[in-house]
Every structure is written in structure tokens, then in C-alpha cells.
Amino acid sequence: MKRSKHRGHKEDKNGDEPAILETEHMGMFMGGGQDLDTISVASVTAVTTNVSNKRSKPDIKMEPSSGRPVDYQVSVTVIEARQLVGQNMDPMVCVEIGEDKKYTSMKESTNCPYYNEYFVFDFHVPPDVMFDKILKLSVIHSKNLLRSGTLVGTFKLDVGTIYSQPEHQFYHKWALLSDPDDITGGCKGYVKCDVAVVAKGDTIKTPHKANESDEDDIEGNLLIPEGVPAERQWARYYLKIYRAEGLPRMNTSIMANVKKAFIGENKDLVDPYVQVLFAGQKGKTSVQKSCYEPIWNEQIVFTEMFPPLCKRMKIQIRDSDKVNDVAMGTHFLDLKKISNDGDKGFLPTLGPAWVNMYGSTRTYSLMDEYQELNDGLGEGVSFRARLLVSLGVEILDPSSPDCSSSTEVQVEGVPNISETATGKVEEFFLFGSFLEATMIDRKIGDKPINFEVTIGYYGNEVDGVVQPKRKGKKGEGDEEETELIHNSSDEEMEDDGDLTSVATTPLMKPVVTDRNYFHLPYFERKPCFYIKSWWQDQRRRLFNANIIDNTADKLEDGLNDVQEIIKTEKAYPERRLRGVLEELSHGCSQYLSLANKDQNQSGRTKLDRERLKLCMSEVESIGQQAKAMRTQVKKSTVRDKLKLAQNFLSKLRFLADEPQHSVPDVFIWMISNGKRIAYARVPSKDILYSSTDEERGKDCGKVKTMFLRIPGKKGFGPAGWTVQSKIEIYFWLGLTRQRKDYLNGLPNGFEENKLSKGPGLPCTPPISLTYMMKQIFQLRVHMYQARSLFAADSTGLSDPFARVFFSTQSQVTEVLPETLCPTWDQLLVFENVELFGEANELRDDPPIIVIEIYDQDTVGKADFMGRTFAKPVVKMADEHYGPPRFPPQLEYYQIYRGNCAAGEMLAAFELLQIGPNGKADLPPIDGPTDMERGPIMPVPLGIRPVLSKYRIEVLFWGLRDLKRVNLAQVDRPRVDIECAGKGVQSALIPNYKKNPNFSTLVKWFEVDLPENELLHPPLNIRVVDCRAFGRYTLVGSNAVTSLRKFIYRPSDKQANNWSSNNTEEIIVVNMEPEPSYKKMDTVVKLDCGSDAVVKVEDDDKDGKGKKKKRKKGDEPEEEEFDESMFDWWSKYFASIETLTEALKAQEAALSDSEDKDDMDITDSGGSKRGRGKKDKKKMTIDPFERKKPKLDELKVYPKELEGEFDNFEDWLHSFNLFRGKGGDDDDQNVTDEDRIVGRFKGSLCMYKVADDLPRDFDSNMGMFQNIPHNDPINILVRIYVIRATDLHPADINGKADPYIAIRLGKTEIKDKENYISKQLNPLFGKSFDVEATFPMDSTLTVSIYDWDLVGTDDLIGETKLDLENRFYSKHRATCGISRNYAIHGYNVWRDPMKPTHILAKLCKDGKVEAPQYGPGGRVKVENRVFMAPTEIEDENGLKKQTDEHLALTVLKHWEDIPRVGCKLVPEHVETRPLLHPDKPGIEQGRIEMWVDMFPKDMTAPGPALDISPRKPKKFELRVIIWNTDEVVLEDDDIFTGEKSSDIFVRGWLKGQQEDKQDTDVHYHSITGEGNFNWRFVFPFDYLMAEEKIVISKKESMFAWDETEYKIPARLNLQVWDADHFSADDFLGAIELDLNRFPRGAKTPKQCTIDMVTNEGDMPMVSIFKQKRIKGWWPFVARNEDEEFELTGKVEAELHLLTGEEAEKNPVGEGRNEPEPLEKPNRPDIALLWFLIPLKAAKHLVCDQYRWLTIKIVTALLLLAILALFLYNMPGYMVKKMLGA
């Protein structure tokens, strides 16, 4: 079965699928580095081998993969922000994805807030939609309930960019903020975050935590993908939209008539406009009213950073409507495809070019059921429109004056574009013929059927025929046009003037094939179709794509071949790979010679030229690399080189994808009774004709088998898996003037039937073909067996049968009940198969056979289980039936169900021509005649595999975790094993609850199996429950598909006999805790057949000496390390650091080796590897140079322990039992989890019976010697849980209150009272003791729950451990072996058995003679000598003699012991993913833990290790602010005009803003000098190991309990100007990281701004080492240009005391007792308050406002006079009048 079709339908999609996914699909058909047993052996090449060129390959995958919704989880951790622009702000970060917004908490008055908050967004959408969503981080300043806050800056990228990162994540990266309204403003700050996108089934690796200082390098860790420059500039994106054509005729019929009645005119009924979405912004053109051919001539201008982190631009034509606008078609522009970031790269550019849009059918209905196809979801099922666009990008120069600073989208007009700008319009001719239409679904079989073919808007009956407006003519068959064509000289062929297109086949009623399918009775008369259409001639683009695609196809087939060879273990895969690379470099050079043609063609755009340059250089380099690689392919390097060749393949596929469209794709629709049922889409480039072979489309002039499928959403899931119809179709597309060859590719032997047009008219293409030649064949189908089929019934099994289709016939195998691995062993004979065409063509290229597998149900129709294709081997009548081609070999064919592999089928197919003598000439069918099977013929002898006798031994251990069956519990289970018809039953378990183990351990049976191991049938394990009255119920089953790993192969005699040559070599084994690769020089290679002595140096004395010497050295800060200072956590953190170093080294070595691979090296692999190691050594030594105490470490596994030790299945295997129907999901492996109903524990061993067996074994146990008994055993299980990381938030506030729950058997412990408030990374540090009895309680579940005050607690995630396999494993996973043996201190030996006892027991169990301890610290085991120290120190420092160190050394090297050796589990911590049953496959966090197990019948273990979290240590930081200097003067004295400041200093420790402390105010400083002598006192709790301050506080007034935060220790000092009435003014600040900050300057002169801006060059100190430090530090603030400037200097003294010291000598805050500071000597300001007003008044009145004062006084006097006058006037007048 053709495997390579995993390529995500790249040919069919033509740009509808995001490019991101292609790499995902590539990985799927790579067997990767998998174990051979797990790879299916299905043939990849069965269908691909293609001798003649008449047929092209069929496409096997049925289901469209895009458009189906998937589960996604996006997690964002906002860690901190730095360098935010603005004075004294209260920032918060908003994270939004699409519509969802989440906010962090607000941090007060800081420009570098620390958040460490985690957000999770869950989505269930199709990939296209997900990857186009924009993730936006914005920092908002002082937002609260009343005000929305001001935006500081934003950062945008699309989710697709994150998903295409390695591991789908950005880890600890800095996002650069910019302000969209002020693009000249530059950077507005940075936010440090982790962003990850997980789809269902992805695993996320947590990268190793780099040390803090690396990450503080912001520029080096920006959140941008590889290859994007750190300095991104603003750019304008100009998208010009000229015009559209071919819009579907909408609401034509009813609405038009209504409108006509009302308005009286028949107008076009669409009002189109174009909407463009890019980087979260939306632009629209104007609406063109009532227009099917709208002309816009507008450009939409986006302003966005370049390169943008949003990959795709979405262009939509929409119909404007009063109620709601609908999309009529969507196109995505992938910027990655229209630009190149290399050295000779180019900015995104496109066109002017036409882009084709595809979507739902063109027939308009009010309720369009496929509307989402028009929005760009899923594969379009018909052409919708084409749009003429061009795109240009211009990088902005922020300094230029015409640069507007906002990023609003603008729309402007552009001039019209000339007709020829996109190329010369040519007439294209599409011809095709339907040779066969079979497998028509029975639902539509009773109505007449026809097919319709369309290309663009030609051939569609709704649109009629559209001819281009050219030569001033319209209309069909216009006389003058015919005239013109006839007289034009460049036509190579007579053109047919009035050729109407024939785009549909005649109606025909289908005929029954069998119960499920019908076929159309074409027989010898094959209908044809032809369409003339007019497009711009841009074939060159398609030709170039075809050359690259053809090269890529060859490469892909070749690589599949190589994999096939490796998989089936055939000889010389390297030869085939060399051939493939040879072919590749040849293909590349061909491209270079062909691609450069037609340079001056009209309509070539800038993108065409640039892409050509890019493709030429890329293809050339691929060709050269392939050539160079060819010489390096050796047997040993085949796999690595195969991986590199896969990279070439994905690169070629990327280059072949042409962003500028030309001829639209061809659609074939099956129409039943006027209703559109199913379609197929053919990319036009695949059927495009060119006279050059390499440029021709791969299906041009060939017969292609196509499966029509249901459009839209209905095609998802099982509905889309059934074939609607299978057609054999012939295609030819080319320019009309090249038409002479268009029939050449058809199978020969036909006559053309034309439309009769009367004499004298030019010839027309045929409307049907009549075949005169036909050949009669007999097809023999040898169906042997199938395996790993899909479980279609509720029992978890199926009743499979196969249905085979060939041409118009079909046959069925027998139904085999209740199995997933049927062995049909059946020969199906198809008599009298008629095939049309010439005999020799059919021999080379027969039609394909389709095999479908169904599950028979008693009621209802059979369920579809999968499908596969095959090609028969053909024998013509005149050929001999014999080797090498006959009889044909059985081959495995991969079965697909939708897009998922669903098993394999073993079969062979032969097609035999019936000659003139009839059937007498055919080879006889000689099979073993089997009377019982009646008419069913078995597979004949030459084809069925050769068998030999095997014995299969089965170890029955027990059953675990059986679930209820039909609501009843399983009580008396039994296991049945069956293989190839023979089998054995286990003993019955009398009472499953009491003891689920079997009483009889080993049974065996003999069976005939094929000699070829690849053909071995599966072995079936079934568990039945024996109920009363002799009833049996199936509980669950498992098919072991590959028995290879259970085959017993007797080992070489030579290898066992170790003492054959007595050379003694000494191996020096180092006992240092550092990684082993540090001391490379000392390791000597061991020869496997030798005696050897292992000598271990004692490194301790040496170490102590070094320490002492070091004390005398020049670094006085180093303190002597004291054993008592260490605890378990010291050991843990040291180990984590080692792990980090090792991972880094590994990564570096990896990238090293990759670099080397890229260089053309020809030296042998060995020296290369050596070099890699040396580099590694150089790198790793460095971190250890820092003087670290020599700590004993443990091993931290970044994954589960089982992963490291092969699931502990060294002799006891677990087989999952399945029941229930398989999942109908895309990803079947995930849903299998729900189908597991229990596990069978046991093992198998098979061997050929002839083998002579070793004599010394107990025949009852067969091959399973030395296996412990399986009686119940009591065990003490001790579970240590250290911490959990990255938990999924469970509460609304985005946090969780986690606690641990442990379940083992009946015991359940919920540690509810010790929940940790509001933490997603809780540190538990707890151990739990649980007693258990194997086998009843063998699965341990450790869960993390979220504590809720009200309601039930929610499960966050859980992990399950199989303790039994660990307990019985030879790797001894009961209690890890520590690095060193100690009897006291932090590294105390915690196993009740001492190393000597363990070693003695291992030797006894392995039948090895007991270890001999010799003098001088030597021990001998199996002829190997190990050396180690023999003294040990107890608590009192006394030395004692002991052999424990020796024994421990042997244990650590146990895997080197021949025959019995294996790696023993070291003292370790394992990291396990937490999963949630409702969200299968998506990790909900991780937990770090380990488990110890102690049997109760042995010595009791000591008390559990104390791993409770370290308590933070109390410290007190005393900061004395002595003086300030050169503080900027903020206030202008309104009176005197002098500049002055009223200075005070404010200080706090980060995270404790509410405890901020202020000095008093130094009023009226005119020089910027301030004297304070003021003391701040900051008590804090500090974790030395993590260098973090621990704060516990309530989050809000409503919070139930305190939350613990861990925050870096940073001291903030700010200088302020005090104002009486308005708010105080902020002047400057400095933040000192208490662990590393610049040493203060001795004098104010030496104190410069450099101490802040380039810290790297300054001497750094840590207050935790120095304890006390005094000096001058600068205050800085940002000016208008966002530059730092110096705003003052402060003289301060920092003094750090521990809590106890601080209690002993307390001090007062400010200048208070005790230990008061003296008052500062400030200029006398006692009378100032009295004098200043007087002084000021004088200054005002006399100097500054003299004239103003005079004017005001005069005006006041005048006013007073006027008022008096008005007041007195009336009285005075009365007096006068009355003459008083």
C-alpha cells in the first residue's frame, strides 16, 4: 500500500493548508528510529512500481484532513517585565488569544514588575483557524474598575508561529513591546514569558532551566523565531486589489424575478467588497453595488513590524448585505512563501497576479450548507472567483518627516492596471474521458447519474459559456472570430470555430455490482468531455513547480524503498540510498537547465524572478549536498543519511508550492438526478501538458484512478470513508494550439465518435470512444490473512470479511467470527474479466484492485473497517508461468480507515490472460484440498508460506485491573492463548478478588508457523470469565502482532566462555559524582573476551588537600563547607544542576555534530565521534570549575523511570486487554485508553522444536528458569513526592490550591489539610508510607487535587505506576542504589539491605559464584576485579573497616558483568506527567517523585528521609541613606524663580511595595544635595538555595488564606520631590539585585550612569557574601527619548543580618532609638516658613510684576468709585427732586 501519501494531500490542497503542517505529515511515514518490532511491515512499494506511463498512481487517503476541529491548549506564563517606559507606573499584563482575554495582577509603582503567573487557553477548532489566531501581550498601566488604563505597548504573534517552533514552544523569552499608535517611539519595554501550544497527542518537553544570568541578556533571548533579526523595523504592507471575475451568479432565479417585477430591470445581484485580515487588523475596500465583475483599484495599507510574526494574510471577497455579509471566497497569502530571508533574500512581494478562490458549489441556494468552505475552512469543492491582487512591502524610516506614527489601516485608490500585466490571454483546451465508473454507493444507485467537469467558471451549466472580452468580440461562433482564427498563422492545428464545450457526460442508469455498490455500464463506449477556456498564460510557473515535484516524488519513492529494505532486513540498503541520491542530484541539475527558459514572457512579476533565483540556488545546493552525501553513505550511516534526505524532501516540497496561481483547478462532480453528490479536485498543474517530459504534470495524458468524496463537513468521520464512486479518468490540459497529442496517452485500440456537423466543418474532439480491442483475463486473488484490524464490535473484536473489487466485478471472502487477525487462507477467482486496450499495455500497467474490509453484523449493514489497493502481477497468454515473477509472493498491504492506518493484509494477486485456447492454458490451482470448507478454495501451495514446527511457551502470571463486564464483576477469569489455530488455556483463577494470580505458571503448545519471521501470524490473548451454568463471557482481548521479541535465540558459546583468553586489563573507574564524561582520558576499552580488573581510585584525601590549599588562595569569601550544612535538598539541587549541564552538553554536542554533517567530511565515523566527545568535555568542565562543595548526587530523570528501563518488562510483560469499539477519531491511539479493560501479565517464548535445549533446567518451567513464585507478598511502599510543576489552573483566578492524594489498592490518603494555597508550582516535600499486598494492590495512583472551600475538590491530574513490575524487575527498582555509602548525614544509606547483602543475593540468583573480597580494597566477581576504599567514618569521626564501598562499586557496574549483568536503578528522582481522564493526551503538569518498596519479610527499613521543604531563613536588611547629591531640581520657585527640590528617598524590597519606607524631606535643596542620616529596616524571609524571597500575604480582602510568593531579592530605591498640595514628583530610581549588584563608588564623582547601563563591566558584589557595603549609587529615569539619564546619586550603606543577629542588636527606623543616627547638618530652615513669604511678596510686587500691580490697583480704584457712584446716585437724585 502506498505509504507516501501521508503528505497531507499536498497536491490536492494547492495552498489551502497552512505550510506549518507539512512538516508534521512528513514525520509520519518515517519509521524514525523505532524498534523494528513496532514498524508495520506493510509493503510501501506494492502500488508504486509503475512500468508504463499510461496510468498514474492512485491516492489512498480518503478523508480530507484540514477543517476538522482538534483540541488545542495554549499555555502562557508571564514571568516579569523590564524596562517599561513611563514614570512610576502600576503595570499589569493582558494576554489575549482571539477573543479570550486574561489579566495578571497589578504591581504598584515599578518599571520592572515580577508576576510569574500562568494562563491556559483551551480551544477546539480546526488547525487553520487555530494557527491564524493572534496571541497578543499588552502591558497596561494603572487599570482599575473605573478606568481602562493606558496602553504601554503590545506584542503580537500568531499561534502558528509558536506551533512551528521546536517543541512547539518559546521558553523564557523576552517579548519586545511597541506602541501601535506611535511607531517612531521604539521599544516600550520587555515582557519575559513562556508560550507553548499543545495539540492532542503532543508531548511537551520542559527545557532545562538555564541559569538566571543567561536570561538577563534580553537582546540574546528575544521572543522571535530562529532567523528573525532582533531589531525588527516598522514596515508598510501595500495590498493592491484591482478587480475580480467569475463571481458565482447568486440568487439568480426567484429573487431576480421578484426584483425585476418591482424595479423593472435585471441587475446583477451581488454587492461585493474585499476584506483583508492581517496581524489582528482588518481592512476593507469599498462596496461595488450590483456587479459580477467588480473593479476596485484600491490599495489597503497595513503598518506592522517586519518581519511580521503573523504568517498569513487572509483575503476574502464578501457580499455586502443589509442583514449579514457572507464570504464568497477566501484566499490565504502565506508570507513565508512570497519572501526569502536569506542573504540574497527579498521582501514579501506578489503579483500583480490572479489568485483563485475555492469554496462551496456555484449553484446558489439560500441556505448554503457548505458556507464554511467559503471562509477557508476545509478543502474547497468548487471554483468561486478569482481576484487580481499585488502585494508590496516598504520598510519605514522612522526619522523621515512624512512617516505617520499610527498603525491604523488605510485605504487609498490606485491607478488601473493594463490588461497584459498578468500575462497574455491564451485559449486552453481540457480534454478527458471516463473509462470506468464503479463502486457507486448504493444509496444513489437507483437514479440516473452523470458527471460534470469544470475548470474555473467554464463548463458549469449555471454560468453558461463565458468567453473573454478580447479582439472586440463576444458571443459564440462569431463569423469574424472564426475568420480570424483560420487566418492566423501561428496555430499549429486547424481550430474548430464553433466548438461548444461538452462538460457533462450523458445520463446513465447504474447497474448492480453487489450488495453495496453499483457501476455504470460503459463497457466499450467511453464518454468524453472537452472544455475550451481562456486564461493568462502563466504555465511557466506550473512547469517549474512540476519539475521540482517530479524530482521530489522520485526522491520520496526512493526513500520509501530504502525504508522498506531496512524494515524487511533485505541486503544493501546503502546501495539503494546511493542510487536515490544520485537520482536526486541528477534531477536537480535537470531543473537548473530547464527552469531558466522563457525569461522574457509577459506578465512575469518580481516574485517570479526572485523565486526563480531562490529555487535555482536552493535546488543547486541540494544537488551538491546529495552528491557529497552519496560518497559518505555506509552501512552504518544509512539511517542518519536517510533523515537528512528527508530534509531535502520537505525543502523541495516547500519550493514546489507556487504562491501565484494561474490556471484554476479542475473539479469533477457526480450528479445524481440533478443533485450534486460527490466530487474530486485535480490540481491543474498535475494535468498540464508540456512538450518537455520533466515539466509535464504527473497525471497529464494518463489514466488516473480517483475516488469521489462527499463535500464539506459531511465528509468527516465514517461518512467520508465510504467511497461514493471510483472512476478511472483520463486527462489532458494544454494550449489549444498544442492539441495534436491530446489522445496519445489513452489505452490504444479505440475509435472516435464525433458530433456530426455536416461536411466541410473542421474536425471536433470526440464525444465518446469505442474500444475495438478487448482482452479477457482471469484474476486470482490469494487472501491469506490480516492483522491489527479495527475493533468494530462492542466486544473489542470484529467479524471481518474482505470484499475485493476489480473492474466491474466483486467477490467476498468468508466471514471469520470474533477476531482482529483473520486468517482467511482463501483463493478468489474472477472469471472473464474484460479489459479494454492493447495487451502489452495491460501487462505493464494493469488497473488497480480495491480491497475493502468489513465487519459482519447480524442486523443492519456491515461496518466499514478499512481499505487498501493492490496491483496484480500480469501474465500474458504467451508467457511462461514460472520464476522470477510467478508464482507471486505474499506481500503485506497497509489498510487505511480514513487517514489512519488500520491494520495490514497479507495477500498476492495475479492477472492471467485467457488465450485463444481458453482456460486450458492457465496454470492449475493446486492447493491442499480441504473437504470441510466446501466450495472455498485455499491459497495454493507455491504461494502459501513454508511452515516449520515451533513450540510456544506461555508464562501465566496474573490478571490486573479487570473492569466490570455487563455490570457484573469478573470473578473466575481464564486466559486463552491462540496462534495459527492452535492454543492453550491457563488455569482458572478461582477467586479473582482474593488472588488474581494463576496457580500454574508455565504451559506450552506446538504450532506450524512460516519460516519467514515477517509472515508470522499474530498471537491472540483472550480473557474469558466463567459464569454459572457453563456460560462464558469475553472480558477483553489483545493481539500480539509481532512475536519477534519473544523468539528465543540460543546465545553464542564463545560469548559465554569469558575466560577463553587470559589477558588482564585494568579499568580505572572514577568514583566522583561528576558526570562520567569528564575523565575521558582514564577509560581504557575492554575487550569482551577478557578477564579484567577494575581499579577505583580514592579521591577523597586528594579533595581535602585541594580544599585546604584553596583556602590559602586569593579568594577570601570562600567558606569551608560543613557537612552539617547540607541536607537532602542540597543534594537534589546539585543533581538538578548536573542534569541541566548534561542536557546542555548534549544539545551542544548535537548541534556540533549537525554542523559537522553539513560540512563535507569524508573521514570515517570513528574519529568524528571522538571529536564530538572532546568538545563535550571542554564544555562540561567549565561549570564545575566554580568551587562547588563535593556533594553526593542522585540521578534526576526528566521522564518516567519506566521509560529509562524499558517499562521494567525484562521478563514480565503487561498486555493491555481491549474491549469495546475502536474510536472513530482521527487519532485512534488516544481513544484506545478508554477501551482498556484490564491487563494480562505474563510472557511468551517461542523456538523451533528442533533446537537442542540446555540440559540444566526444570522442565515444568521450560525456558522460564529462575523466576520468583507468584504467591501474595506484603510490602511497605514509601512514596516521596518532591514537587509539581506547571499545573493546569483549576480556579477562576488562574491558580490552584493543590494537594496530594495517593491510592493503592484499598488504601487512600488525601493530604487535604496540607494544601498549598494559590500555587501552580507547589513544593510538597512529603513522604507517605502505605502497606500493600501484591498482586492485589499493584497499581499506585498519585493524584494532585485542587482544594476548594465550597463544593468538591477537582482533580488536576494523576499518574499511575505499576509497582509489581518494578518490584520483580531484574533492574532492582525497589530502592535505588546511591552513589556512595554513608552511615550518617544527608546521604545515609536507606535500604535495609547493605550493598554486600545485595551483591551476595544478586550473585546467588544469577548462579554466579559469590564475590571474593581480597586485601587492599579489591573484590572479584565473575573474573572481574573491582577496587575501592575500605574505610568508613561514623558520626563520631572514627574510622572503621568495611567492604560496603567495594560491593557498591560492583553494583554500580553490574551491567558490565557478563551473562547476568543489567543496569541497576540508581538513587533517583523521576518526573512523571500528570494526565486528566477528560483530556486524554494533553499533559496537565508534571510531578517529581520516587518510590521505595520494602518486603515485609525482610529487615524493616529505617525512618523515611526527611525531605520537607526548607524553611526560609529570616534576614534583616538595614539600609542607611546618608546623603544624596546632584538630584535634579524639579520645582521653580514661583516667587524667586530659583530651581530647587524638596528631596526625600523611598525604599522597599521587591514584592513588598506596601511596606515601603520614606525618609524625611530635605526641603529646598538648591544644589541637589540632601542630607538624611535615615535608616530603613526591611525584615524578610529568604531561601538561600533558590535565591528568592518568600512572601506570604492575602491576595485580596476576600481571600480565604495567605498565598506564598517567591520573588527575586531586589532592593528598590527611589528619589522624589515632595509637594504640599499636588502629587509628589518622581525623580529617579535604582534597583539592586541583592545577589549581584555593582559595587558602590567611593566618591560621588566616581558614581556614573554606567553603573546601571553596562553592568557587565562593573565589579559585582552580593550582599549575602559581603554582609556590609557602603558607597554611592546613581538614580536614573528615562527622558522623552526613552534614554536613561542620570537624575541623582545616593550614598547608602547596606547591612545584612540574620534574624538572630538582628534580635541581639536591634536598631530603630529613621533616627529612632536604639542606636539612633545623628541629625543631618542641613541649612537652617527654622524661620524659613516665616521669612520666605515676606521675601517672596517683595520680590513679586517690586520686581517681577511691578506694572501689572500698578494696573490692577488703578483698575480697582476706578471700580470702587463707580460702585460708590451707582450706590449713592438714586438717593441723591430723590433729594434733588424733592428739593430737600
XYZ file of all heavy atoms in Angstrom, residues 87 97 295 515 579 658 741 782 851 951 1178 1188 1408 1577 1653 1655 1665 1708 1763 1771:
156
model
N 6.864 56.812 33.984
C 7.356 57.135 35.311
C 6.424 56.516 36.330
O 5.210 56.645 36.211
C 7.389 58.655 35.501
C 8.202 59.378 34.441
C 9.667 59.014 34.511
O 10.122 58.432 35.474
N 10.424 59.343 33.470
N -5.870 35.844 23.254
C -5.779 34.982 22.080
C -7.150 35.015 21.440
O -8.125 34.563 22.033
C -5.413 33.548 22.472
C -4.068 33.523 23.183
C -5.385 32.670 21.232
C -3.614 32.166 23.580
N -14.675 46.128 -10.248
C -13.342 46.715 -10.392
C -13.161 47.678 -9.229
O -13.946 48.618 -9.078
C -13.219 47.458 -11.733
C -13.374 46.434 -12.870
C -11.880 48.172 -11.818
C -13.332 47.026 -14.235
N -24.015 -6.164 -3.242
C -24.973 -5.583 -2.289
C -24.696 -4.121 -1.992
O -25.574 -3.390 -1.629
C -24.914 -6.333 -0.957
C -25.153 -7.783 -1.076
C -25.679 -8.341 0.219
N -25.057 -7.746 1.404
C -24.720 -8.455 2.469
N -24.884 -9.753 2.458
N -24.205 -7.866 3.534
N 21.802 5.218 -4.856
C 21.098 5.399 -6.128
C 20.103 6.545 -6.036
O 19.990 7.372 -6.945
N 3.632 26.860 -5.465
C 3.678 28.141 -6.177
C 2.618 29.096 -5.630
O 1.429 28.793 -5.673
C 3.438 27.878 -7.675
C 3.261 29.100 -8.518
C 4.455 30.039 -8.479
O 5.554 29.630 -8.888
O 4.282 31.165 -8.003
N -1.575 16.145 -29.705
C -1.243 14.897 -28.998
C -2.256 14.509 -27.946
O -1.968 13.628 -27.157
C 0.100 15.070 -28.251
C 1.175 15.553 -29.166
O 1.078 15.228 -30.355
O 2.097 16.244 -28.694
N -5.279 -14.111 -3.853
C -4.920 -15.039 -2.772
C -4.971 -14.271 -1.464
O -4.032 -13.552 -1.132
C -3.504 -15.583 -2.997
C -3.315 -16.167 -4.355
N -3.751 -17.430 -4.690
C -2.770 -15.657 -5.484
C -3.464 -17.668 -5.961
N -2.870 -16.608 -6.463
N -9.487 -3.451 -2.223
C -9.936 -4.438 -1.234
C -10.517 -3.666 -0.065
O -9.858 -2.786 0.495
C -8.767 -5.314 -0.724
C -8.100 -6.037 -1.882
C -9.259 -6.337 0.292
C -6.845 -5.402 -2.372
N 7.581 -24.330 19.013
C 6.933 -24.508 20.311
C 6.788 -23.128 20.941
O 7.738 -22.342 20.916
C 7.777 -25.403 21.207
C 7.202 -25.504 22.610
C 8.015 -26.411 23.495
N 7.931 -27.802 23.045
C 8.465 -28.818 23.703
N 9.129 -28.599 24.810
N 8.358 -30.043 23.251
N 35.230 19.676 26.886
C 35.628 21.062 27.099
C 34.480 21.829 27.706
O 34.640 22.618 28.599
C 35.986 21.689 25.750
C 37.471 21.798 25.550
C 37.748 22.491 24.238
C 38.445 21.586 23.262
N 38.052 21.655 21.916
N 32.590 24.214 43.853
C 31.369 23.716 44.458
C 31.783 22.702 45.484
O 32.725 21.970 45.291
C 30.499 23.047 43.399
C 29.442 23.960 42.899
C 28.347 23.261 42.097
C 28.562 21.807 41.816
N 27.672 21.311 40.766
N 26.012 -17.125 39.937
C 27.392 -16.677 39.759
C 28.075 -16.955 41.100
O 27.435 -16.823 42.132
C 27.411 -15.162 39.467
C 28.825 -14.633 39.442
C 26.718 -14.876 38.156
N 14.576 49.731 57.646
C 14.774 48.364 58.142
C 13.797 47.444 57.408
O 12.587 47.653 57.484
C 14.526 48.293 59.656
C 14.708 46.854 60.127
C 15.489 49.215 60.377
N 23.795 51.218 33.207
C 23.606 50.871 31.799
C 24.491 49.725 31.343
O 24.038 48.844 30.640
C 23.839 52.101 30.901
O 25.064 52.699 31.303
C 22.719 53.079 31.038
N 26.149 47.027 33.217
C 26.532 46.333 34.447
C 27.641 45.328 34.187
O 28.416 45.018 35.069
C 25.320 45.574 34.989
C 24.229 46.471 35.512
C 23.148 45.647 36.207
O 23.025 44.462 35.887
O 22.454 46.188 37.070
N 27.186 37.703 50.607
C 28.576 37.367 50.895
C 29.249 38.499 51.666
O 29.966 38.265 52.626
C 29.328 37.156 49.574
C 28.874 35.920 48.813
C 30.075 35.113 48.344
C 29.670 33.839 47.659
N 29.195 34.060 46.300
N 16.645 51.250 65.514
C 15.363 51.909 65.251
C 15.281 52.356 63.808
O 16.291 52.642 63.177
N -18.724 102.119 41.754
C -19.693 101.457 42.621
C -20.304 102.483 43.575
O -21.531 102.530 43.775
C -18.995 100.350 43.397
N -30.465 107.995 45.724
C -30.823 108.804 46.913
C -30.592 110.293 46.639
O -31.420 111.153 46.925
